[in-house]
Amino acid sequence: MGIDESSLFIIWLSLQRPLTPSRAAIETSLPKTTVYRKLRELEDRGWLERKGKTYLPTDRAKILGKMEAKDMLGIFHIEELFEKALRLQTGSWRRSMELLRGRGMDFVLCYETAAYIRTGFQTPSAAFAYVRDSELKDWISLGKRAPKFADLVLIPVRELPTSEVISGWPVVTEERLRLELIAWLGRGILDLAALRGKVPMVVEEMTDVVY
């Protein structure tokens, strides 16, 4: 489920000062039961963090507050797409890259993996890739389903997003990658900095990844 207008307003309120459920209910004119549900959902999705009786914005929410309006239009759809991801265990993210290439079907690398191909900065926790949902059943056999930690994360989409070939790999455009890293910050905050050239680059040997 995507974030609705009242949830966005609650995030905005938290950016002004620490937010209590009572203040959120007053400012939004929503029933307290609804406010509590929305606060819980925003906390579960990583937009707010609870400190005692108040809610504070997380790093990704703070970045959201500094974004231009045009960028905000994209991140919530990206978040929704990633929630449908199929997570598999293959042995390692490098093994996943081999499997992706050896399958003979189209895919587009995204998120941490695309950031690594573009910058060489942080080794990804898994191989992240968009695949066509009509072909998803053919991808499932690549590994075991992983409820938590995965080596391969497949995001099913109707059509593959626009891509660029970098070091022999199809990766999402830099603009889309930036949205993906903001939508799912975590370690993505460092990848964002690397993408902008704001951190010292210690590039790993790309031949380990690009065959």
Side-chain angles (χ1 to χ4, degrees):
M1 180 190 299
I3 292 184
D4 59 20
E5 292 87 348
S6 56
S7 296
L8 281 173
F9 188 67
I10 289 172
I11 293 174
W12 179 82
L13 287 170
S14 75
L15 290 165
Q16 314 312 309
R17 62 178 186 272
L19 183 64
T20 63
S22 296
R23 179 171 160 250
I26 291 170
E27 298 292 350
T28 60
S29 292
L30 292 172
K32 276 194 174 181
T33 53
T34 303
V35 166
Y36 277 110
R37 175 174 55 79
K38 289 184 176 292
L39 287 170
R40 191 164 53 249
E41 288 173 354
L42 290 170
E43 183 181 13
D44 289 344
R45 296 175 69 167
W47 292 103
L48 298 177
E49 59 179 335
R50 189 174 182 178
K51 296 288 186 182
K53 296 182 179 180
T54 63
Y55 288 84
L56 304 174
T58 59
D59 286 341
R60 71 193 296 225
K62 291 174 184 175
I63 288 180
L64 174 66
K66 296 177 182 178
M67 290 173 64
E68 297 180 16
K70 65 181 178 64
D71 290 328
M72 290 177 61
L73 297 174
I75 64 171
F76 299 111
H77 183 63
I78 295 291
E79 182 184 34
E80 203 168 353
L81 290 177
F82 273 53
E83 286 178 351
K84 301 173 184 176
L86 172 68
R87 307 172 67 82
L88 300 173
Q89 291 178 338
T90 64
S92 71
W93 77 272
R94 296 179 189 275
R95 172 63 177 155
S96 297
M97 297 286 277
E98 294 175 359
L99 293 171
L100 281 170
R101 176 157 280 177
R103 201 64 173 180
M105 295 188 292
D106 293 332
F107 62 90
V108 176
L109 298 175
C110 58
Y111 191 43
E112 295 175 14
T113 319
Y116 178 65
I117 295 296
R118 285 185 174 275
T119 68
F121 180 62
Q122 286 194 110
T123 302
S125 61
F128 290 81
Y130 290 106
V131 297
R132 292 190 178 90
D133 54 12
S134 61
E135 299 173 340
L136 190 59
K137 64 181 184 301
D138 297 317
W139 290 104
I140 291 176
S141 62
L142 291 184
K144 293 182 181 179
R145 286 183 181 258
K148 194 170 183 182
F149 300 107
D151 307 305
L152 176 60
V153 180
L154 301 174
I155 299 95
V157 289
R158 183 172 304 222
E159 296 294 341
L160 297 178
T162 302
S163 62
E164 302 168 347
V165 176
I166 297 180
S167 298
W169 293 95
V171 301
V172 292
T173 62
E174 187 169 329
E175 294 79 11
R176 185 179 182 113
L177 175 57
R178 191 160 63 92
L179 290 181
E180 292 172 355
L181 294 172
I182 292 171
W184 294 100
L185 268 186
R187 39 175 279 149
I189 195 164
L190 287 176
D191 284 328
L192 268 175
L195 206 58
R196 296 168 179 162
K198 298 279 182 70
V199 295
M201 298 300 292
V202 183
V203 180
E204 297 188 30
E205 180 54 58
M206 293 296 287
T207 54
D208 289 343
V209 186
V210 183
Y211 325 102

